[in-house]
Amino acid sequence: HNAQLYSEQRNTAQRLAEVDRLKTQFLANMTHELRTPLNSIIGFSRVMLKGIDGSITDLQRTDLTAIHNNGLHLLSLINNVLDYSKIEADKLELHWTDQVDLGQLIRSALTTTEGLINSKPIGLQQELPNDLPLVRAESTRLNQILLNLLSNAAKFTAAGQIAIQARVVEG
């Protein structure tokens, strides 16, 4: 009886491992399929914002900026799903660099956040000194963290201010 239970447990574990592998493969394939057209939307909106295809009105610029920023936000969410599957598969690699411009990352994340709050009475406030040094970080993950924090703030703030601050702390 114990041998039969052990055999059933091994079979169940093998089936669960296969289901997990298939889920990870599905997520990787799906995120790839979603990113391809989304990158096209982001690219075309960027081209239009730069005026390469001709001039645009202020209203069109506002709408295109919202499309572009929301496309970037959606791309970030899709990349997060892919990262979760990589973490589960123990295949997530970090690429650290000593030359990350934290101020630029914050300003970029704030630009994306503007598209999320444009219909709400919310202000964005940033306190960034001009002399912020370059930092050692994994810029892609740090950008994801900033976008996640700011998009959560935008989602759960009905009115008021969203503020972000960076400063050098000794020690």
PDB file of all heavy atoms in Angstrom, residues 133-165:
ATOM      1  N   PRO A 133      24.333  61.806  -7.940  1.00  0.00           N
ATOM      2  CA  PRO A 133      25.395  61.026  -8.595  1.00  0.00           C
ATOM      3  C   PRO A 133      24.822  59.828  -9.341  1.00  0.00           C
ATOM      4  O   PRO A 133      23.681  59.416  -9.101  1.00  0.00           O
ATOM      5  CB  PRO A 133      26.256  60.560  -7.414  1.00  0.00           C
ATOM      6  CG  PRO A 133      25.311  60.485  -6.272  1.00  0.00           C
ATOM      7  CD  PRO A 133      24.310  61.598  -6.488  1.00  0.00           C
ATOM      8  N   LEU A 134      25.605  59.298 -10.255  1.00  0.00           N
ATOM      9  CA  LEU A 134      25.228  58.039 -10.888  1.00  0.00           C
ATOM     10  C   LEU A 134      25.297  56.952  -9.827  1.00  0.00           C
ATOM     11  O   LEU A 134      26.120  57.015  -8.912  1.00  0.00           O
ATOM     12  CB  LEU A 134      26.176  57.718 -12.042  1.00  0.00           C
ATOM     13  CG  LEU A 134      26.185  58.735 -13.188  1.00  0.00           C
ATOM     14  CD1 LEU A 134      27.239  58.361 -14.218  1.00  0.00           C
ATOM     15  CD2 LEU A 134      24.823  58.855 -13.836  1.00  0.00           C
ATOM     16  N   VAL A 135      24.421  55.950  -9.914  1.00  0.00           N
ATOM     17  CA  VAL A 135      24.358  54.920  -8.890  1.00  0.00           C
ATOM     18  C   VAL A 135      24.619  53.548  -9.501  1.00  0.00           C
ATOM     19  O   VAL A 135      24.473  53.350 -10.709  1.00  0.00           O
ATOM     20  CB  VAL A 135      22.991  54.910  -8.159  1.00  0.00           C
ATOM     21  CG1 VAL A 135      22.772  56.220  -7.421  1.00  0.00           C
ATOM     22  CG2 VAL A 135      21.850  54.637  -9.120  1.00  0.00           C
ATOM     23  N   ARG A 136      24.998  52.605  -8.644  1.00  0.00           N
ATOM     24  CA  ARG A 136      25.139  51.208  -9.063  1.00  0.00           C
ATOM     25  C   ARG A 136      23.780  50.541  -8.863  1.00  0.00           C
ATOM     26  O   ARG A 136      23.251  50.510  -7.754  1.00  0.00           O
ATOM     27  CB  ARG A 136      26.200  50.501  -8.230  1.00  0.00           C
ATOM     28  CG  ARG A 136      26.340  49.028  -8.563  1.00  0.00           C
ATOM     29  CD  ARG A 136      27.551  48.395  -7.888  1.00  0.00           C
ATOM     30  NE  ARG A 136      27.560  46.963  -7.996  1.00  0.00           N
ATOM     31  CZ  ARG A 136      27.780  46.257  -9.095  1.00  0.00           C
ATOM     32  NH1 ARG A 136      27.990  46.895 -10.230  1.00  0.00           N
ATOM     33  NH2 ARG A 136      27.783  44.942  -9.093  1.00  0.00           N
ATOM     34  N   ALA A 137      23.226  50.025  -9.958  1.00  0.00           N
ATOM     35  CA  ALA A 137      21.900  49.414  -9.884  1.00  0.00           C
ATOM     36  C   ALA A 137      21.678  48.543 -11.107  1.00  0.00           C
ATOM     37  O   ALA A 137      22.477  48.544 -12.050  1.00  0.00           O
ATOM     38  CB  ALA A 137      20.824  50.501  -9.814  1.00  0.00           C
ATOM     39  N   GLU A 138      20.591  47.830 -11.089  1.00  0.00           N
ATOM     40  CA  GLU A 138      20.104  47.090 -12.243  1.00  0.00           C
ATOM     41  C   GLU A 138      19.009  47.972 -12.820  1.00  0.00           C
ATOM     42  O   GLU A 138      17.899  48.001 -12.294  1.00  0.00           O
ATOM     43  CB  GLU A 138      19.574  45.732 -11.784  1.00  0.00           C
ATOM     44  CG  GLU A 138      19.722  44.602 -12.777  1.00  0.00           C
ATOM     45  CD  GLU A 138      18.781  44.650 -13.968  1.00  0.00           C
ATOM     46  OE1 GLU A 138      17.940  45.550 -14.092  1.00  0.00           O
ATOM     47  OE2 GLU A 138      18.894  43.747 -14.792  1.00  0.00           O
ATOM     48  N   SER A 139      19.328  48.739 -13.842  1.00  0.00           N
ATOM     49  CA  SER A 139      18.443  49.823 -14.285  1.00  0.00           C
ATOM     50  C   SER A 139      17.063  49.343 -14.723  1.00  0.00           C
ATOM     51  O   SER A 139      16.061  50.007 -14.447  1.00  0.00           O
ATOM     52  CB  SER A 139      19.098  50.640 -15.399  1.00  0.00           C
ATOM     53  OG  SER A 139      19.338  49.838 -16.526  1.00  0.00           O
ATOM     54  N   THR A 140      16.967  48.203 -15.368  1.00  0.00           N
ATOM     55  CA  THR A 140      15.665  47.710 -15.816  1.00  0.00           C
ATOM     56  C   THR A 140      14.771  47.417 -14.615  1.00  0.00           C
ATOM     57  O   THR A 140      13.603  47.797 -14.585  1.00  0.00           O
ATOM     58  CB  THR A 140      15.828  46.442 -16.675  1.00  0.00           C
ATOM     59  OG1 THR A 140      16.652  46.763 -17.803  1.00  0.00           O
ATOM     60  CG2 THR A 140      14.497  45.919 -17.150  1.00  0.00           C
ATOM     61  N   ARG A 141      15.321  46.739 -13.612  1.00  0.00           N
ATOM     62  CA  ARG A 141      14.533  46.396 -12.427  1.00  0.00           C
ATOM     63  C   ARG A 141      14.210  47.641 -11.608  1.00  0.00           C
ATOM     64  O   ARG A 141      13.101  47.771 -11.081  1.00  0.00           O
ATOM     65  CB  ARG A 141      15.259  45.374 -11.548  1.00  0.00           C
ATOM     66  CG  ARG A 141      15.657  44.125 -12.256  1.00  0.00           C
ATOM     67  CD  ARG A 141      14.454  43.344 -12.770  1.00  0.00           C
ATOM     68  NE  ARG A 141      14.934  42.285 -13.635  1.00  0.00           N
ATOM     69  CZ  ARG A 141      14.520  42.096 -14.868  1.00  0.00           C
ATOM     70  NH1 ARG A 141      13.600  42.860 -15.390  1.00  0.00           N
ATOM     71  NH2 ARG A 141      14.998  41.131 -15.599  1.00  0.00           N
ATOM     72  N   LEU A 142      15.155  48.562 -11.507  1.00  0.00           N
ATOM     73  CA  LEU A 142      14.899  49.802 -10.777  1.00  0.00           C
ATOM     74  C   LEU A 142      13.796  50.594 -11.471  1.00  0.00           C
ATOM     75  O   LEU A 142      12.902  51.138 -10.810  1.00  0.00           O
ATOM     76  CB  LEU A 142      16.178  50.632 -10.663  1.00  0.00           C
ATOM     77  CG  LEU A 142      16.084  51.916  -9.857  1.00  0.00           C
ATOM     78  CD1 LEU A 142      15.549  51.675  -8.454  1.00  0.00           C
ATOM     79  CD2 LEU A 142      17.460  52.582  -9.804  1.00  0.00           C
ATOM     80  N   ASN A 143      13.810  50.620 -12.787  1.00  0.00           N
ATOM     81  CA  ASN A 143      12.753  51.290 -13.539  1.00  0.00           C
ATOM     82  C   ASN A 143      11.408  50.612 -13.286  1.00  0.00           C
ATOM     83  O   ASN A 143      10.390  51.278 -13.097  1.00  0.00           O
ATOM     84  CB  ASN A 143      13.093  51.289 -15.025  1.00  0.00           C
ATOM     85  CG  ASN A 143      12.139  52.137 -15.824  1.00  0.00           C
ATOM     86  OD1 ASN A 143      11.869  53.281 -15.474  1.00  0.00           O
ATOM     87  ND2 ASN A 143      11.616  51.584 -16.894  1.00  0.00           N
ATOM     88  N   GLN A 144      11.385  49.275 -13.253  1.00  0.00           N
ATOM     89  CA  GLN A 144      10.143  48.550 -12.959  1.00  0.00           C
ATOM     90  C   GLN A 144       9.623  48.903 -11.568  1.00  0.00           C
ATOM     91  O   GLN A 144       8.423  49.081 -11.379  1.00  0.00           O
ATOM     92  CB  GLN A 144      10.375  47.041 -13.036  1.00  0.00           C
ATOM     93  CG  GLN A 144      10.491  46.509 -14.438  1.00  0.00           C
ATOM     94  CD  GLN A 144      10.775  45.025 -14.439  1.00  0.00           C
ATOM     95  OE1 GLN A 144      11.619  44.539 -13.699  1.00  0.00           O
ATOM     96  NE2 GLN A 144      10.080  44.301 -15.295  1.00  0.00           N
ATOM     97  N   ILE A 145      10.526  48.986 -10.605  1.00  0.00           N
ATOM     98  CA  ILE A 145      10.128  49.327  -9.233  1.00  0.00           C
ATOM     99  C   ILE A 145       9.494  50.715  -9.210  1.00  0.00           C
ATOM    100  O   ILE A 145       8.425  50.915  -8.633  1.00  0.00           O
ATOM    101  CB  ILE A 145      11.336  49.259  -8.282  1.00  0.00           C
ATOM    102  CG1 ILE A 145      11.785  47.812  -8.109  1.00  0.00           C
ATOM    103  CG2 ILE A 145      11.015  49.896  -6.936  1.00  0.00           C
ATOM    104  CD1 ILE A 145      13.149  47.653  -7.464  1.00  0.00           C
ATOM    105  N   LEU A 146      10.156  51.677  -9.851  1.00  0.00           N
ATOM    106  CA  LEU A 146       9.620  53.040  -9.886  1.00  0.00           C
ATOM    107  C   LEU A 146       8.249  53.077 -10.553  1.00  0.00           C
ATOM    108  O   LEU A 146       7.319  53.702 -10.050  1.00  0.00           O
ATOM    109  CB  LEU A 146      10.589  53.974 -10.605  1.00  0.00           C
ATOM    110  CG  LEU A 146      11.878  54.302  -9.874  1.00  0.00           C
ATOM    111  CD1 LEU A 146      12.865  55.001 -10.807  1.00  0.00           C
ATOM    112  CD2 LEU A 146      11.595  55.160  -8.654  1.00  0.00           C
ATOM    113  N   LEU A 147       8.131  52.410 -11.704  1.00  0.00           N
ATOM    114  CA  LEU A 147       6.844  52.393 -12.413  1.00  0.00           C
ATOM    115  C   LEU A 147       5.760  51.713 -11.592  1.00  0.00           C
ATOM    116  O   LEU A 147       4.619  52.178 -11.562  1.00  0.00           O
ATOM    117  CB  LEU A 147       6.996  51.702 -13.774  1.00  0.00           C
ATOM    118  CG  LEU A 147       7.689  52.509 -14.848  1.00  0.00           C
ATOM    119  CD1 LEU A 147       7.967  51.643 -16.077  1.00  0.00           C
ATOM    120  CD2 LEU A 147       6.879  53.739 -15.227  1.00  0.00           C
ATOM    121  N   ASN A 148       6.104  50.622 -10.913  1.00  0.00           N
ATOM    122  CA  ASN A 148       5.110  49.939 -10.076  1.00  0.00           C
ATOM    123  C   ASN A 148       4.659  50.824  -8.926  1.00  0.00           C
ATOM    124  O   ASN A 148       3.457  50.923  -8.637  1.00  0.00           O
ATOM    125  CB  ASN A 148       5.668  48.618  -9.539  1.00  0.00           C
ATOM    126  CG  ASN A 148       5.748  47.550 -10.592  1.00  0.00           C
ATOM    127  OD1 ASN A 148       5.112  47.622 -11.628  1.00  0.00           O
ATOM    128  ND2 ASN A 148       6.568  46.547 -10.340  1.00  0.00           N
ATOM    129  N   LEU A 149       5.600  51.476  -8.252  1.00  0.00           N
ATOM    130  CA  LEU A 149       5.238  52.354  -7.135  1.00  0.00           C
ATOM    131  C   LEU A 149       4.371  53.518  -7.611  1.00  0.00           C
ATOM    132  O   LEU A 149       3.344  53.831  -7.002  1.00  0.00           O
ATOM    133  CB  LEU A 149       6.498  52.890  -6.447  1.00  0.00           C
ATOM    134  CG  LEU A 149       7.289  51.884  -5.618  1.00  0.00           C
ATOM    135  CD1 LEU A 149       8.620  52.488  -5.186  1.00  0.00           C
ATOM    136  CD2 LEU A 149       6.501  51.425  -4.415  1.00  0.00           C
ATOM    137  N   LEU A 150       4.787  54.159  -8.701  1.00  0.00           N
ATOM    138  CA  LEU A 150       4.040  55.317  -9.192  1.00  0.00           C
ATOM    139  C   LEU A 150       2.686  54.919  -9.779  1.00  0.00           C
ATOM    140  O   LEU A 150       1.695  55.630  -9.587  1.00  0.00           O
ATOM    141  CB  LEU A 150       4.876  56.086 -10.215  1.00  0.00           C
ATOM    142  CG  LEU A 150       6.057  56.854  -9.618  1.00  0.00           C
ATOM    143  CD1 LEU A 150       7.002  57.331 -10.721  1.00  0.00           C
ATOM    144  CD2 LEU A 150       5.574  58.017  -8.764  1.00  0.00           C
ATOM    145  N   SER A 151       2.621  53.790 -10.473  1.00  0.00           N
ATOM    146  CA  SER A 151       1.322  53.393 -11.030  1.00  0.00           C
ATOM    147  C   SER A 151       0.366  52.970  -9.914  1.00  0.00           C
ATOM    148  O   SER A 151      -0.834  53.239 -10.000  1.00  0.00           O
ATOM    149  CB  SER A 151       1.476  52.284 -12.074  1.00  0.00           C
ATOM    150  OG  SER A 151       1.982  51.106 -11.500  1.00  0.00           O
ATOM    151  N   ASN A 152       0.873  52.349  -8.851  1.00  0.00           N
ATOM    152  CA  ASN A 152       0.017  52.047  -7.701  1.00  0.00           C
ATOM    153  C   ASN A 152      -0.454  53.325  -7.023  1.00  0.00           C
ATOM    154  O   ASN A 152      -1.616  53.433  -6.622  1.00  0.00           O
ATOM    155  CB  ASN A 152       0.738  51.148  -6.696  1.00  0.00           C
ATOM    156  CG  ASN A 152       0.765  49.703  -7.131  1.00  0.00           C
ATOM    157  OD1 ASN A 152      -0.011  49.271  -7.968  1.00  0.00           O
ATOM    158  ND2 ASN A 152       1.685  48.945  -6.569  1.00  0.00           N
ATOM    159  N   ALA A 153       0.443  54.293  -6.910  1.00  0.00           N
ATOM    160  CA  ALA A 153       0.052  55.580  -6.322  1.00  0.00           C
ATOM    161  C   ALA A 153      -1.038  56.227  -7.184  1.00  0.00           C
ATOM    162  O   ALA A 153      -2.021  56.758  -6.656  1.00  0.00           O
ATOM    163  CB  ALA A 153       1.258  56.500  -6.194  1.00  0.00           C
ATOM    164  N   ALA A 154      -0.883  56.168  -8.510  1.00  0.00           N
ATOM    165  CA  ALA A 154      -1.890  56.748  -9.407  1.00  0.00           C
ATOM    166  C   ALA A 154      -3.218  56.001  -9.301  1.00  0.00           C
ATOM    167  O   ALA A 154      -4.286  56.610  -9.306  1.00  0.00           O
ATOM    168  CB  ALA A 154      -1.377  56.720 -10.848  1.00  0.00           C
ATOM    169  N   LYS A 155      -3.142  54.695  -9.176  1.00  0.00           N
ATOM    170  CA  LYS A 155      -4.358  53.878  -9.113  1.00  0.00           C
ATOM    171  C   LYS A 155      -5.140  54.140  -7.823  1.00  0.00           C
ATOM    172  O   LYS A 155      -6.360  54.198  -7.833  1.00  0.00           O
ATOM    173  CB  LYS A 155      -3.992  52.401  -9.183  1.00  0.00           C
ATOM    174  CG  LYS A 155      -5.198  51.466  -9.200  1.00  0.00           C
ATOM    175  CD  LYS A 155      -4.835  50.002  -9.043  1.00  0.00           C
ATOM    176  CE  LYS A 155      -3.895  49.506 -10.093  1.00  0.00           C
ATOM    177  NZ  LYS A 155      -3.596  48.062  -9.978  1.00  0.00           N
ATOM    178  N   PHE A 156      -4.437  54.316  -6.711  1.00  0.00           N
ATOM    179  CA  PHE A 156      -5.099  54.399  -5.413  1.00  0.00           C
ATOM    180  C   PHE A 156      -5.202  55.822  -4.867  1.00  0.00           C
ATOM    181  O   PHE A 156      -5.593  56.014  -3.727  1.00  0.00           O
ATOM    182  CB  PHE A 156      -4.399  53.489  -4.405  1.00  0.00           C
ATOM    183  CG  PHE A 156      -4.484  52.041  -4.790  1.00  0.00           C
ATOM    184  CD1 PHE A 156      -3.364  51.354  -5.222  1.00  0.00           C
ATOM    185  CD2 PHE A 156      -5.702  51.374  -4.757  1.00  0.00           C
ATOM    186  CE1 PHE A 156      -3.445  50.018  -5.594  1.00  0.00           C
ATOM    187  CE2 PHE A 156      -5.791  50.042  -5.129  1.00  0.00           C
ATOM    188  CZ  PHE A 156      -4.657  49.363  -5.550  1.00  0.00           C
ATOM    189  N   THR A 157      -4.867  56.816  -5.682  1.00  0.00           N
ATOM    190  CA  THR A 157      -5.008  58.212  -5.281  1.00  0.00           C
ATOM    191  C   THR A 157      -6.130  58.832  -6.104  1.00  0.00           C
ATOM    192  O   THR A 157      -6.052  58.874  -7.330  1.00  0.00           O
ATOM    193  CB  THR A 157      -3.693  58.991  -5.505  1.00  0.00           C
ATOM    194  OG1 THR A 157      -2.642  58.350  -4.778  1.00  0.00           O
ATOM    195  CG2 THR A 157      -3.821  60.431  -5.053  1.00  0.00           C
ATOM    196  N   ALA A 158      -7.169  59.302  -5.416  1.00  0.00           N
ATOM    197  CA  ALA A 158      -8.304  59.902  -6.123  1.00  0.00           C
ATOM    198  C   ALA A 158      -8.050  61.370  -6.430  1.00  0.00           C
ATOM    199  O   ALA A 158      -8.460  61.881  -7.471  1.00  0.00           O
ATOM    200  CB  ALA A 158      -9.578  59.758  -5.292  1.00  0.00           C
ATOM    201  N   ALA A 159      -7.379  62.057  -5.518  1.00  0.00           N
ATOM    202  CA  ALA A 159      -7.091  63.483  -5.689  1.00  0.00           C
ATOM    203  C   ALA A 159      -5.906  63.824  -4.784  1.00  0.00           C
ATOM    204  O   ALA A 159      -5.656  63.152  -3.789  1.00  0.00           O
ATOM    205  CB  ALA A 159      -8.298  64.333  -5.311  1.00  0.00           C
ATOM    206  N   GLY A 160      -5.184  64.871  -5.158  1.00  0.00           N
ATOM    207  CA  GLY A 160      -4.074  65.317  -4.312  1.00  0.00           C
ATOM    208  C   GLY A 160      -2.758  65.298  -5.051  1.00  0.00           C
ATOM    209  O   GLY A 160      -2.675  65.716  -6.203  1.00  0.00           O
ATOM    210  N   GLN A 161      -1.740  64.810  -4.384  1.00  0.00           N
ATOM    211  CA  GLN A 161      -0.376  64.837  -4.915  1.00  0.00           C
ATOM    212  C   GLN A 161       0.258  63.456  -4.845  1.00  0.00           C
ATOM    213  O   GLN A 161       0.027  62.698  -3.904  1.00  0.00           O
ATOM    214  CB  GLN A 161       0.510  65.785  -4.089  1.00  0.00           C
ATOM    215  CG  GLN A 161       0.202  67.244  -4.223  1.00  0.00           C
ATOM    216  CD  GLN A 161       0.805  67.827  -5.482  1.00  0.00           C
ATOM    217  OE1 GLN A 161       1.667  67.241  -6.118  1.00  0.00           O
ATOM    218  NE2 GLN A 161       0.331  68.995  -5.866  1.00  0.00           N
ATOM    219  N   ILE A 162       1.068  63.164  -5.829  1.00  0.00           N
ATOM    220  CA  ILE A 162       1.989  62.030  -5.779  1.00  0.00           C
ATOM    221  C   ILE A 162       3.373  62.659  -5.818  1.00  0.00           C
ATOM    222  O   ILE A 162       3.690  63.411  -6.741  1.00  0.00           O
ATOM    223  CB  ILE A 162       1.789  61.074  -6.965  1.00  0.00           C
ATOM    224  CG1 ILE A 162       0.399  60.442  -6.920  1.00  0.00           C
ATOM    225  CG2 ILE A 162       2.880  60.002  -6.970  1.00  0.00           C
ATOM    226  CD1 ILE A 162       0.062  59.611  -8.147  1.00  0.00           C
ATOM    227  N   ALA A 163       4.157  62.378  -4.807  1.00  0.00           N
ATOM    228  CA  ALA A 163       5.478  62.994  -4.708  1.00  0.00           C
ATOM    229  C   ALA A 163       6.560  61.923  -4.694  1.00  0.00           C
ATOM    230  O   ALA A 163       6.376  60.843  -4.134  1.00  0.00           O
ATOM    231  CB  ALA A 163       5.576  63.838  -3.432  1.00  0.00           C
ATOM    232  N   ILE A 164       7.658  62.236  -5.341  1.00  0.00           N
ATOM    233  CA  ILE A 164       8.816  61.351  -5.322  1.00  0.00           C
ATOM    234  C   ILE A 164      10.042  62.208  -5.053  1.00  0.00           C
ATOM    235  O   ILE A 164      10.170  63.325  -5.554  1.00  0.00           O
ATOM    236  CB  ILE A 164       8.929  60.540  -6.626  1.00  0.00           C
ATOM    237  CG1 ILE A 164      10.019  59.470  -6.507  1.00  0.00           C
ATOM    238  CG2 ILE A 164       9.156  61.443  -7.820  1.00  0.00           C
ATOM    239  CD1 ILE A 164       9.951  58.416  -7.583  1.00  0.00           C
ATOM    240  N   GLN A 165      10.923  61.659  -4.242  1.00  0.00           N
ATOM    241  CA  GLN A 165      12.100  62.413  -3.831  1.00  0.00           C
ATOM    242  C   GLN A 165      13.321  61.496  -3.891  1.00  0.00           C
ATOM    243  O   GLN A 165      13.236  60.316  -3.566  1.00  0.00           O
ATOM    244  CB  GLN A 165      11.911  62.908  -2.382  1.00  0.00           C
ATOM    245  CG  GLN A 165      13.105  63.631  -1.819  1.00  0.00           C
ATOM    246  CD  GLN A 165      12.936  63.926  -0.349  1.00  0.00           C
ATOM    247  OE1 GLN A 165      12.694  63.012   0.452  1.00  0.00           O
ATOM    248  NE2 GLN A 165      13.053  65.191   0.017  1.00  0.00           N
TER     249      GLN A 165
END
